[in-house]
Amino acid sequence: MKLNGTKITKIEHFDIKTVRKLLDEGQKMLRLNPSQLDNTEKALLIAAEHAVNLIEFFGTRSSKDGHTARVTLEADDMSDLAAALASNYHIGLLSDMDRRDWDLMMIDKTASLLLFEIWNLYHMELDEAELADVEDDGKQYEAVMHLEYGADITTGREHFRKLGIELVNENDPTDTWYFDALRLGREFVSQDILNAGGVFAVDAPYFSYRVGCALTAEGKDILEAPVPMRIQLGGQLKE
């Protein structure tokens, strides 16, 4: 599938207008002839739908009740993003959806938003579509999306099985780095959203640290880990 003449997995920048258009055109193709789309393209459309739903959710809340959370696709402040995602998660808990199903849905939502934000970040910081490392030693990297969507053998329901971005050195294919958005989504839901005696909290600093570490191979070496809120709260937490 192409959008404005560009294969959708090669688009260099996804603003909300582009993602909405991608979703609209992709859904039309799925209705008319699903075989036109390969599995990677279908997975990208699902990620686009999650991202659009989150952005529209926060736009509506901001206009109705003064909620200050703002979500875009432009590599938001990760602490603000964590707070916004946690708010969406807590509201979802009030629905009739099974807690396990909602956790899996929230993992997919979080990973989808990170996919677009970090894809934009990688391309925004570098010249054209080529990604140079921070030392500017002449290495050039190409960004490649890795998306896989299908049945989860533990639940029988469909969710992302892979969602991330691989950076590959154009002159040395063995020199790679993988930004694993799906793993970050899982860790956010399982470890960064906390229940302290019925009061929900989010460990925004640690979520920010996780994302920072995931961006480059040097992340863990140059970033100082905060004390997890889970440790600070100790015995106050409920599962």
Side-chain angles (χ1 to χ4, degrees):
M1 175 183 174
K2 291 185 177 181
L3 197 66
N4 298 328
T6 302
K7 186 173 174 60
I8 59 175
T9 54
K10 297 292 186 180
I11 294 171
E12 292 181 20
H13 183 266
F14 290 94
D15 57 23
I16 185 58
K17 182 178 179 180
T18 300
V19 175
R20 283 197 177 106
K21 186 175 181 181
L22 165 65
L23 188 56
D24 289 343
E25 295 299 319
Q27 289 177 337
K28 289 177 186 176
M29 293 179 70
L30 286 173
R31 287 193 298 269
L32 295 173
N33 185 3
S35 63
Q36 296 180 83
L37 299 168
D38 62 30
N39 290 335
T40 297
E41 292 169 334
K42 290 177 183 177
L44 185 57
L45 292 180
I46 294 167
E49 185 172 14
H50 284 311
V52 168
N53 287 345
L54 279 171
I55 289 173
E56 290 181 346
F57 167 80
F58 287 108
T60 301
R61 286 184 59 79
S62 294
S63 64
K64 284 186 176 180
D65 61 9
H67 190 64
T68 57
R70 182 173 181 267
V71 176
T72 72
L73 298 176
E74 306 304 328
D76 298 293
D77 180 284
M78 288 300 150
S79 292
D80 290 343
L81 182 60
L85 288 167
S87 174
N88 186 252
Y89 178 81
H90 297 153
I91 289 171
L93 291 180
L94 302 176
S95 71
D96 294 331
M97 185 180 289
D98 177 79
R99 170 70 178 270
R100 169 64 176 164
D101 289 343
W102 181 241
D103 281 356
L104 291 172
M105 179 65 71
M106 201 65 215
I107 289 169
D108 285 357
K109 285 172 174 269
T110 302
S112 296
L113 203 56
L114 285 173
L115 175 80
F116 289 112
E117 290 207 356
I118 302 308
W119 179 268
N120 287 342
L121 177 66
Y122 280 147
H123 287 85
M124 177 181 67
E125 291 186 338
L126 304 158
D127 185 31
E128 298 180 348
E130 295 182 335
L131 306 176
D133 63 14
V134 292
E135 288 82 10
D136 193 22
D137 57 9
K139 294 180 182 179
Q140 297 293 320
Y141 291 84
E142 178 184 5
V144 181
M145 288 187 179
H146 286 261
L147 305 101
E148 185 178 336
Y149 192 85
D152 183 327
I153 60 173
T154 62
T155 65
R157 295 175 176 84
E158 291 196 335
H159 292 279
F160 287 110
R161 294 196 294 241
K162 180 178 288 187
L163 192 67
I165 303 165
E166 185 177 28
L167 302 182
V168 182
N169 187 334
E170 293 183 340
N171 298 314
D172 180 5
T174 65
D175 178 14
T176 66
W177 177 254
Y178 183 63
F179 175 83
D180 194 339
L182 186 57
R183 177 179 61 81
L184 289 166
R186 289 171 177 154
E187 291 174 347
F188 174 69
V189 171
S190 67
Q191 300 181 47
D192 297 333
I193 297 178
L194 310 172
N195 180 356
V199 177
F200 286 93
V202 59
D203 194 345
Y206 210 88
F207 175 71
S208 300
Y209 170 72
R210 291 185 200 280
V211 175
C213 289
L215 288 173
T216 66
E218 299 80 19
K220 287 187 177 180
D221 297 328
I222 61 178
L223 297 176
E224 183 177 353
V227 178
M229 189 179 294
R230 183 173 295 275
I231 292 177
Q232 297 178 47
L233 294 175
Q236 300 177 53
L237 294 180
K238 292 184 177 182
E239 296 301 327

